[in-house]
């Protein structure tokens, strides 16, 4: 039989036993009962190289966790574990009697990083204290300005009271005195008795009767009147002067002049065309300029405001020059929005997306109550300021800020 390397027997069992003792952690030990030829050794060596390569690929150099590993398949002397809580690196050591994790690094210090945070926190504290002092100063200035305004108003009221007192002491007749004089005069008039004058209007004088007789004698006879009546054409279809006078009088009552005028009363417009405007100022931009004019009920007379187009491109505006208050008032008492010369103001403001109106009116989704949101922000700012002022270290500052911002 031809001998090859595949059938070449191994020399002795000594080296084979050494292979069994040297393997076991990563490499599978050989089966010594079926390990006799060079081919057996070659196949075992090839499998051992594959196991070594797989261990190198899959093995992690360092186990990273906050607790030490406890898996028996993992706990082998020499593995490394990095503690993410204490930031320490340890090695698993076994001396035959016991096994434990032994630190191989010193704890990491944060003093330099904390010094940077403390310095930044100190700068931020000073800046915020400066801002708060600026706010206090502005409030003090506002109080001073308000005190001056109040004093001016009080002085004006005192002057008005002096003028009123002067009017009360002047030599004027009071309403009570005037009413008493009027009642006395009425009694005196009622007491006067005037005899009635006879009414002679139904009677004619002698001269009037004589003149009338002369006129009657000059009148045409009945025969003459009949001849004239027969010669008069039928005028029933003709327009009479009375009809013309009535039509002319009706123009000033039922119609407006073509060049405008003054209307005493009010208009009621019943539109017949749904798409046509009730009042149309669109013939030219000039026709829309100051289309409406109103007089304001103010403390002084002759205050007017207008609405319409202006001389600026695309602009339509309410124009006024005094203390007019353009506002929306609900149910005669609740003013919900106002615009004056000082700007707009409202008691409540919402931001959101408009939906289709329903039976109750406006529909808003994703609504944000600006007043509530600003109140929450102001409260959070005060809590942040308190946290910055009262914190003694980074942890207390962090806890204070988280508490302040929890409801924002």
């Amino acid at each position: 039989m031809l001998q090859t390397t595949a059938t070449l027997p191994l020399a002795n069992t000594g080296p084979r036993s050494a292979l069994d003792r040297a393997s076991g952690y990563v490499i599978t030990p050989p089966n010594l009962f079926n390990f006799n030829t060079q081919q057996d050794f070659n196949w075992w060596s090839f499998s051992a190289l594959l196991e070594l390569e797989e261990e190198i690929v899959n093995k992690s150099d360092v186990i990273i966790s906050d607790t030490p590993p406890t898996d028996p398949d993992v706990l082998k002397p020499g593995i490394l574990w990095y503690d993410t809580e204490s930031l320490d690196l340890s090695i698993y050591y076994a001396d035959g009697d016991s096994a434990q994790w032994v630190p191989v690094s010193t704890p990491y210090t944060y003093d330099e990083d904390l010094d940077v945070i403390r310095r930044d926190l100190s700068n931020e504290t000073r800046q915020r204290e400066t801002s708060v002092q600026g706010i206090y100063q502005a409030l003090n200035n506002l109080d001073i300005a308000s005190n001056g305004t109040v004093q001016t108003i009080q002085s004006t009221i005192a002057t008005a009271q002096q003028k009123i007192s002067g009017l009360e002491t002047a030599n004027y007749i009071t309403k009570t005195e005037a009413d008493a004089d009027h009642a006395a005069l009425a009694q005196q008039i009622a007491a006067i008795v005037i005899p009635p004058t006879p009414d002679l209007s139904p009677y004619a004088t002698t001269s009037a009767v004589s003149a009338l007789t002369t006129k009657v004698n000059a009148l045409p006879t009945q025969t003459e009147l009949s001849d004239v009546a027969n010669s008069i054409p039928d005028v029933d279809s003709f327009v009479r002067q009375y009809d013309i006078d009535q039509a002319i009088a009706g123009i000033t009552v039922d119609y407006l002049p073509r060049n405008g005028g003054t209307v005493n009363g009010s208009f009621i417009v019943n539109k017949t065309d749904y798409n046509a405007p009730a009042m149309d100022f669109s013939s030219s931009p000039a026709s829309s300029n100051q289309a409406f004019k109103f007089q304001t009920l103010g403390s002084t007379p002759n205050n007017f405001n207008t609405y319409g187009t202006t001389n600026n491109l695309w602009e339509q505006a309410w124009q006024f020059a005094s203390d007019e208050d353009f506002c929306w008032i609900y149910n005669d008492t609740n003013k919900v929005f106002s615009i004056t010369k000082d700007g707009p103001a409202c008691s409540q403001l919402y931001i959101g997306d408009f939906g289709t109106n329903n039976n109750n009116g406006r529909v808003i989704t994703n609504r944000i109550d600006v007043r509530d949101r600003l109140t929450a922000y102001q409260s959070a700012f005060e809590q942040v300021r308190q946290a910055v002022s009262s914190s003694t270290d980074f942890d207390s500052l962090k806890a204070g800020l988280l508490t302040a911002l929890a409801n924002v």
Side-chain angles (χ1 to χ4, degrees):
M1 180 179 178
L2 180 61
Q3 189 73 27
T4 66
T5 56
T7 59
L8 184 65
L10 297 176
N12 53 58
T13 61
R16 287 182 287 177
S17 300
L19 288 175
D20 184 38
R21 292 193 301 271
S23 60
Y25 290 113
V26 177
I27 301 173
T28 302
N31 184 4
L32 298 180
F33 295 100
N34 191 19
F35 199 76
N36 301 313
T37 64
Q38 185 65 39
Q39 185 182 44
D40 297 334
F41 180 83
N42 292 342
W43 281 113
W44 179 82
S45 299
F46 181 76
S47 299
L49 291 174
L50 293 177
E51 290 177 339
L52 284 173
E53 182 178 6
E54 183 179 2
E55 180 67 18
I56 293 173
V57 171
N58 297 331
K59 180 179 180 182
S60 174
D61 295 335
V62 180
I63 299 174
I64 301 175
S65 64
D66 55 355
T67 57
T70 57
D71 190 354
D73 295 334
V74 176
L75 291 175
K76 297 178 183 179
I79 66 171
L80 298 176
W81 166 53
Y82 183 74
D83 189 351
T84 57
E85 289 291 335
S86 62
L87 305 182
D88 289 336
L89 180 66
S90 301
I91 187 172
Y92 192 72
Y93 172 73
D95 57 4
D97 296 332
S98 62
Q100 61 274 336
W101 292 99
V102 180
V104 298
S105 62
T106 58
Y108 181 78
T109 61
Y110 295 91
D111 292 339
E112 294 181 358
D113 294 339
L114 291 177
D115 288 339
V116 175
I117 295 176
R118 293 189 186 99
R119 184 168 57 254
D120 293 342
L121 181 59
S122 178
N123 293 335
E124 179 68 17
T125 301
R126 287 196 298 272
Q127 293 176 0
R128 293 205 178 253
E129 289 178 350
T130 301
S131 300
V132 172
Q133 292 300 324
I135 294 174
Y136 286 150
Q137 184 62 38
L139 292 175
N140 292 333
N141 294 337
L142 179 60
D143 291 339
I144 293 173
S146 299
N147 291 335
T149 304
V150 172
Q151 291 175 359
T152 301
I153 295 173
Q154 290 176 345
S155 177
T156 304
I157 293 174
T159 302
Q161 289 176 344
Q162 292 177 357
K163 293 182 178 179
I164 293 172
S165 299
L167 291 176
E168 292 175 351
T169 58
N171 189 18
Y172 292 110
I173 186 173
T174 64
K175 183 178 184 301
T176 302
E177 294 172 343
D179 291 340
D181 293 343
H182 181 269
L185 180 61
Q187 290 178 357
Q188 293 178 2
I189 293 173
I192 297 175
V193 178
I194 300 175
T197 301
D199 185 14
L200 300 177
S201 58
Y203 303 99
T205 63
T206 303
S207 59
V209 172
S210 176
L212 180 61
T213 302
T214 302
K215 290 181 179 180
V216 170
N217 293 331
L219 292 176
T221 64
Q222 184 64 40
T223 302
E224 294 172 342
L225 291 176
S226 298
D227 294 338
V228 172
N230 293 330
S231 63
I232 296 175
D234 185 12
V235 294
D236 291 339
S237 61
F238 294 171
V239 176
R240 299 171 298 170
Q241 184 63 41
Y242 173 82
D243 298 328
I244 297 175
D245 294 338
Q246 287 296 104
I248 294 175
I251 292 177
T252 60
V253 176
D254 300 328
Y255 306 94
L256 282 175
R258 291 183 177 272
N259 295 326
T262 300
V263 177
N264 295 320
S266 60
F267 281 117
I268 297 176
V269 179
N270 295 319
K271 291 175 54 178
T272 58
D273 187 348
Y274 179 82
N275 295 316
M279 302 183 68
D280 193 342
F281 301 92
S282 64
S283 61
S284 68
S287 298
S288 300
N289 185 272
Q290 298 187 10
F292 295 97
K293 183 176 181 180
F294 305 92
Q295 182 172 180
T296 304
L297 176 62
S299 58
T300 57
N302 299 325
N303 294 304
F304 302 97
N305 63 85
T306 63
Y307 176 78
T309 58
T310 68
N311 294 329
N312 299 325
L313 293 176
W314 306 107
E315 188 174 74
Q316 298 185 25
W318 282 102
Q319 300 188 60
F320 59 100
S322 189
D323 296 320
E324 282 82 0
D325 181 8
F326 301 92
C327 53
W328 281 267
I329 300 178
Y330 172 71
N331 203 18
D332 294 336
T333 57
N334 185 16
K335 184 184 294 186
V336 298
F337 191 83
S338 170
I339 299 177
T340 67
K341 63 184 180 182
D342 299 321
C346 61
S347 58
Q348 203 74 15
L349 180 62
Y350 300 102
I351 298 176
D353 299 323
F354 286 110
T356 303
N357 286 7
N358 57 24
N359 292 335
N360 295 323
R362 184 182 66 190
V363 175
I364 298 179
T365 59
N366 303 320
R367 187 173 70 173
I368 298 175
D369 191 327
V370 176
R371 184 177 185 179
D372 291 346
R373 186 63 57 89
L374 291 178
T375 301
Y377 287 160
Q378 180 64 27
S379 177
F381 174 76
E382 294 296 333
Q383 295 181 22
V384 168
R385 174 177 170 273
Q386 182 63 31
V388 172
S389 176
S390 61
S391 298
T392 57
D393 53 19
F394 177 75
D395 290 336
S396 61
L397 173 62
K398 180 179 178 182
L401 293 178
L402 290 176
T403 301
L405 300 175
N407 296 323
V408 177

